[in-house]
Amino acid sequence: MNLFDEQNREPLAARMRPRNLSEYIGQNAILGEGRLLRRVIQADRLSSLIFYGPPGTGKTTLARVIANTTKSAFASLNAVLSGIKELREEIEAAKERKSLYDKKTILFVDEVHRWNKAQQDALLPWVENGTVVLIGATTENPYFEVNKALVSRSRIFRLTSLTEDELRRVAMQAVGDRERGYGKWQVVFEEGALEHLVRTAEGDARNLLNALELAVETTPESFPPEEGSEIRITLGTAEESIQQKAVLYDKEGDYHYDIISAFIKSLRGSDPDAALYWMARMTEAGESPRFLFRRMLILACEDVGLADPNAIRTVEACASAFDRIGMPEGNFMLSLAALYLATCPKSNTTLSFFDAMEAVRKESNGEVPNHLKDPSRDAEDFGHGKGYLYPHAYRDHWVAQQYLPKTLQGRVFYQPGNLGYEAEIADAVLERRELQLSRAAESDDSDVLSFSFDKEEMKWLMRMNSDPKADGRLRNGLLDLLKWQRFYNVLDVNAGGGFLVWEALRRAPEGCLYALTAAESEKEFIDFHARQLAEERRPFTVAAAAFSDRIKALPEALRFEIILVRDLFLKENRTAETVLLLRQKAADGAQLLLSQILPQCSTRLSERLSPRLTPPELLARMKEAENAVYTDSANPLLTLSEEALAALFTENGWQVTHREERQTSGFRFVPKERVEAWFAPDGIYGCRLETEAAAALKQLCLNQIAGKNHPWQQKLFVLSMKTV
């Protein structure tokens, strides 16, 4: 039968659909050798799937490949053309196959997002009971457009636009195939012709094949020509076939994405001259202005954001005006949008949304706090909405209350920038966050003035204005001082909120890890986050206020190759008994890491008082009182020194192998109540000052320090040791 018989005149894109995995091009991330999807297709062990991606990426084709591979019955529906009636017919046929022949049915639903909720709901019970295995294809995000129940029962595979190399292989496959393509003739591409088809297809294989078909079949005077004839495709023919001028950005043949990348980076880098140049290169070469506006709209949100909220409005207005005016005057709109973006302040804080997305994906979904629940239905029976504070009833239309789930309280996603509009709102955002966190803060009865690392809410405060990656670098830098084996047993004697716990688990996955905490709330925090791990991989946790009670709770015969001691002596007096208890739990050749904040070397309150607003004599009295506090032998928690700590361990069974000092930077929130306690007659400063000086200094601290977040430097003393 001739390829060009009327009944066989399907479009080239339809004729060239791959029939098996070996013919399929692209999507190596999900279909490459050894990938999960390839294995389940080859083994014919499919569960429900949803293929999500832009047009022309092979979603329907992949379903056809599965149909040719599986031993199950394969049925197909198009959601645009089919409804409940057709679905019921396919379900009845599937039930019959299952009951009479014990044969599974795979139901492919193309454009599944086009079905409304009722239609998708009608499919759900048959997917759930196994009557059909669903394969859905959609160009829309299934998490938004497909029934959540269907999504939860399906594995989502995202298909991406084909690369230029993959599109080139698609084209060469078509011109080389004698049965379905143009292999009976010699199709020759002149310089730049195939490259233009590939580049302007924009990752869409169907678009490429349609253009190729038009170029090949309109080049000879009549088609088909004599077998073996040459068909020469010129650049002009390629341009006409895909209805877009070739984007030849320079003589060296820079690719489209290189130039748009240079344009975007010039806008981001606030260089208006470079931005105009790269945009002129693209415009002159025939780039679509709508594509340029699309990229500038994205940049207005991604790289300008709240530094200038007018950026998105300006670019959108220019894009709208361009649609009304067109070319050539539309170049003014392109120029205005690009110049505005290149010269306005920049901020990328909108990326904080992706931090929130990562939290959603990696952590358990938190329960909506009771006071935020809808009270219209269950207020009487369940108390939904009880305790909610209506912001408009308060001064400035705001009141401190928690809006995140309990498991995420204190989590910070958005960090205000310091330019433009964002700089104006930064103080208000941080102040409100501080007040929210202070409501949730645990009470602290001690007078330790240093940063309290075993308080989760204080960690949150510190992280608000610091790089979260810095915490990871500090943690890894500490643990890197030790030599690790996968089978080691690890003891974290002051685990707090788990700062070292999770990385230690990763480094010693075949041993056990005990995390000891001073507070039950810290134990619960670690236990909660450990639920995502398999039970045999979870850390063991012990909570007890006294250090000796924590140690006694450990299994008697258990010994540890690694012992982590972090900031233990901010709450626990340094005594030989403490160190001997650690030595008793150490295995032969054990390693111990001591990381200790030294309060006397940290930022002091007097350093946060403004010399301009504080009388010199009062500032001098404050410094004298501080010196007395940090040299008072009656308070060993505040007089920690490097020499004393090193000597304490070396005298009680440990040999120091490494010693270093580090400066850490963070932020400290000083509550008003803490200031008042410090300067009370029996307070840590008040008892060392005359009544008049104490009152004056208290007022100065309340005015300048209380209720604010302050930069705070601390000295970290680090020892790594091994048993003698």
Side-chain angles (χ1 to χ4, degrees):
M1 183 180 294
N2 190 287
L3 175 64
F4 298 100
D5 286 344
E6 193 63 33
Q7 62 184 5
N8 265 339
R9 292 295 292 139
E10 285 185 301
L12 178 65
R15 300 199 305 269
M16 290 305 300
R17 284 191 188 277
R19 295 162 294 191
N20 50 57
L21 287 174
S22 63
E23 293 180 355
Y24 194 93
I25 296 174
Q27 313 307 333
N28 189 60
I30 61 173
L31 280 173
E33 286 296 333
R35 306 294 190 191
L36 174 65
L37 182 57
R38 189 182 190 93
R39 297 201 313 270
V40 298
I41 291 174
Q42 291 173 333
D44 196 11
R45 299 186 63 180
L46 290 172
S47 57
S48 291
L49 309 171
I50 295 178
F51 298 141
Y52 156 50
T57 53
K59 301 182 296 296
T60 304
T61 297
L62 188 51
R64 297 277 184 90
V65 168
I66 292 172
N68 294 337
T69 306
T70 183
K71 295 178 181 177
S72 303
F74 191 91
S76 178
L77 292 174
N78 188 302
V80 177
L81 305 174
S82 307
I84 294 287
K85 177 178 177 293
E86 291 79 8
L87 175 61
R88 285 175 177 165
E89 291 173 356
E90 293 295 347
I91 294 299
E92 289 301 320
K95 289 163 65 177
E96 185 175 339
R97 291 187 201 103
K98 189 173 183 180
S99 62
L100 297 180
Y101 311 109
D102 194 24
K103 190 172 187 178
K104 292 192 303 182
T105 298
I106 295 175
L107 176 61
F108 173 61
V109 182
D110 202 5
E111 304 289 340
V112 66
H113 64 277
R114 296 295 189 96
W115 272 352
N116 60 33
K117 185 177 184 302
Q119 290 169 314
Q120 292 183 35
D121 284 343
L123 177 59
L124 179 61
W126 311 111
V127 171
E128 194 166 45
N129 67 18
T131 300
V132 296
V133 174
L134 170 68
I135 298 180
T138 175
T139 56
E140 303 296 327
N141 190 328
Y143 291 103
F144 296 109
E145 301 297 334
V146 179
N147 185 317
K148 289 182 180 179
L150 280 179
V151 169
S152 69
R153 289 161 176 80
S154 306
R155 186 179 292 273
I156 310 294
F157 287 98
R158 184 170 179 266
L159 282 69
T160 58
S161 298
L162 273 64
T163 67
E164 291 188 3
D165 285 341
E166 290 166 346
L167 287 174
R168 193 173 291 108
R169 288 168 53 200
V170 169
M172 299 313 295
Q173 186 183 67
V175 300
D177 191 309
R178 291 181 59 85
E179 178 187 350
R180 299 175 296 161
Y182 303 118
K184 293 182 179 181
W185 302 275
Q186 299 179 43
V187 179
V188 178
F189 296 94
E190 291 189 354
E191 184 178 355
L194 178 58
E195 287 72 14
H196 172 63
L197 291 175
V198 165
R199 185 165 56 245
T200 52
E202 296 185 343
D204 187 330
R206 186 186 300 108
N207 192 11
L208 171 69
L209 290 172
N210 288 340
L212 178 62
E213 181 178 27
L214 185 60
V216 170
E217 299 191 15
T218 58
T219 294
E221 291 185 3
S222 62
F223 195 87
E226 186 177 337
E227 187 172 332
S229 299
E230 180 181 284
I231 301 176
R232 182 170 292 273
I233 309 299
T234 66
L235 178 58
T237 301
E239 290 176 2
E240 293 173 356
S241 298
I242 206 160
Q243 290 297 301
Q244 183 172 346
K245 184 178 177 182
V247 184
L248 298 177
Y249 287 148
D250 62 17
K251 294 179 181 178
E252 289 74 35
D254 285 348
Y255 291 104
H256 162 81
Y257 292 108
D258 290 336
I259 303 300
I260 190 63
S261 175
F263 174 58
I264 293 300
K265 288 172 180 173
S266 299
L267 293 176
R268 184 182 295 136
S270 300
D271 189 331
D273 301 310
L276 289 176
Y277 170 75
W278 293 120
M279 188 169 70
R281 281 267 295 271
M282 289 184 286
T283 305
E284 182 65 18
E287 182 59 88
S288 166
R290 288 182 175 83
F291 172 75
L292 296 174
F293 277 122
R294 174 179 172 272
R295 296 305 301 264
M296 287 193 282
L297 284 166
I298 294 170
L299 185 134
C301 294
E302 179 183 355
D303 294 295
V304 177
L306 282 178
D308 187 349
N310 282 319
I312 183 67
R313 290 193 283 266
T314 299
V315 179
E316 176 60 32
C318 288
S320 177
F322 176 87
D323 283 340
R324 294 175 61 187
I325 294 170
M327 284 295 200
E329 292 86 351
N331 282 321
F332 290 116
M333 287 88 227
L334 282 170
S335 178
L336 175 60
L339 287 173
Y340 191 98
L341 292 176
T343 56
C344 67
K346 305 295 190 295
S347 170
N348 67 346
T349 55
T350 53
L351 292 173
S352 56
F353 173 70
F354 298 99
D355 293 333
M357 289 282 284
E358 185 176 8
V360 170
R361 290 169 182 153
K362 292 187 175 181
E363 303 178 26
S364 57
N365 292 329
E367 176 75 15
V368 176
N370 198 61
H371 65 284
L372 299 183
K373 291 181 178 177
D374 177 17
S376 62
R377 294 166 295 127
D378 302 314
E380 184 174 344
D381 293 334
F382 299 109
H384 288 179
K386 184 178 181 181
Y388 171 66
L389 305 178
Y390 186 57
H392 298 299
Y394 293 82
R395 182 180 177 182
D396 297 328
H397 302 267
W398 183 84
V399 61
Q401 65 183 331
Q402 289 295 333
Y403 294 95
L404 281 168
K406 185 176 181 181
T407 56
L408 291 178
Q409 283 185 9
R411 179 68 65 85
V412 173
F413 299 115
Y414 171 58
Q415 306 281 4
N418 57 2
L419 293 176
Y421 169 76
E422 221 169 12
E424 299 175 20
I425 65 171
D427 288 343
V429 171
L430 293 176
E431 183 179 0
R432 289 173 178 174
R433 187 177 287 158
E434 291 162 5
L435 290 171
Q436 285 178 319
L437 294 172
S438 66
R439 285 180 64 93
E442 301 172 9
S443 61
D444 187 355
D445 298 327
S446 72
D447 279 327
V448 176
L449 302 181
S450 62
F451 203 75
S452 180
F453 275 90
D454 60 341
K455 294 286 186 288
E456 282 301 307
E457 72 280 359
M458 288 299 190
K459 287 186 197 176
W460 300 331
L461 288 169
M462 183 181 78
R463 290 173 184 165
M464 279 196 304
N465 289 322
S466 62
D467 178 5
K469 294 181 180 178
D471 286 341
R473 290 193 294 269
L474 173 61
R475 177 200 61 202
N476 292 338
L478 293 174
L479 296 182
D480 285 346
L481 295 175
L482 305 176
K483 295 180 179 179
W484 293 79
Q485 293 285 351
R486 294 174 59 84
F487 55 84
Y488 278 175
N489 293 332
V490 181
L491 174 63
D492 188 343
V493 301
N494 194 38
F499 181 74
L500 300 177
V501 166
W502 311 113
E503 180 62 22
L505 272 176
R506 285 190 285 272
R507 296 188 182 210
E510 296 168 13
C512 69
L513 186 144
Y514 273 80
L516 313 185
T517 68
E520 185 66 31
S521 60
E522 294 168 341
K523 175 184 182 299
E524 291 173 357
F525 184 84
I526 293 174
D527 287 342
F528 178 83
H529 287 285
R531 292 178 191 172
Q532 62 184 319
L533 301 175
E535 188 170 353
E536 65 274 10
R537 288 290 302 115
R538 296 174 188 172
F540 299 93
T541 54
V542 174
F547 175 73
S548 58
D549 291 338
R550 284 177 247 167
I551 295 295
K552 290 174 184 176
L554 296 171
E556 178 64 29
L558 188 60
R559 295 294 181 268
F560 298 90
E561 284 80 14
I562 287 181
I563 299 178
L564 306 175
V565 183
R566 183 169 181 268
D567 293 324
L568 176 66
F569 301 108
L570 289 181
K571 296 294 182 184
E572 189 78 21
N573 284 328
R574 56 182 191 275
T575 64
E577 179 187 2
T578 300
V579 180
L580 286 172
L581 284 172
L582 292 174
R583 180 65 183 84
Q584 291 169 9
K585 301 307 296 182
D588 292 339
Q591 304 169 81
L592 183 143
L593 175 71
L594 170 69
S595 167
Q596 184 67 53
I597 292 293
L598 300 178
Q600 60 176 303
C601 302
S602 302
T603 296
R604 298 193 178 184
L605 211 58
S606 59
E607 297 173 28
R608 305 311 311 156
L609 288 170
S610 168
R612 184 173 58 85
L613 301 176
T614 307
E617 63 276 9
L618 282 177
L619 191 58
R621 291 292 296 118
M622 184 67 203
K623 291 180 178 179
E624 290 175 9
E626 284 178 325
N627 288 333
V629 167
Y630 288 106
T631 56
D632 185 357
S633 59
N635 194 340
L637 299 180
L638 295 181
T639 57
L640 286 172
S641 69
E642 304 171 16
E643 292 74 16
L645 279 174
L648 181 63
F649 278 84
T650 55
E651 292 167 3
N652 290 281
W654 296 93
Q655 177 187 348
V656 176
T657 57
H658 179 81
R659 174 174 174 161
E660 67 176 58
E661 298 172 3
R662 300 186 185 191
Q663 287 290 334
T664 64
S665 298
F667 285 79
R668 182 183 177 198
F669 180 74
V670 182
K672 174 184 175 183
E673 295 77 12
R674 183 64 62 82
V675 172
E676 292 176 339
W678 285 337
F679 290 96
D682 58 347
I684 199 163
Y685 295 133
C687 69
R688 292 174 170 83
L689 293 164
E690 301 83 359
T691 303
E692 186 176 337
L697 282 167
K698 180 178 78 169
Q699 193 58 48
L700 286 168
C701 289
L702 288 173
N703 293 340
Q704 299 181 41
I705 298 175
K708 297 178 181 177
N709 211 27
H710 298 275
W712 216 264
Q713 286 258 330
Q714 299 181 107
K715 184 175 180 181
L716 188 66
F717 177 54
V718 181
L719 287 178
S720 62
M721 295 168 265
K722 64 180 181 181
T723 54
V724 176

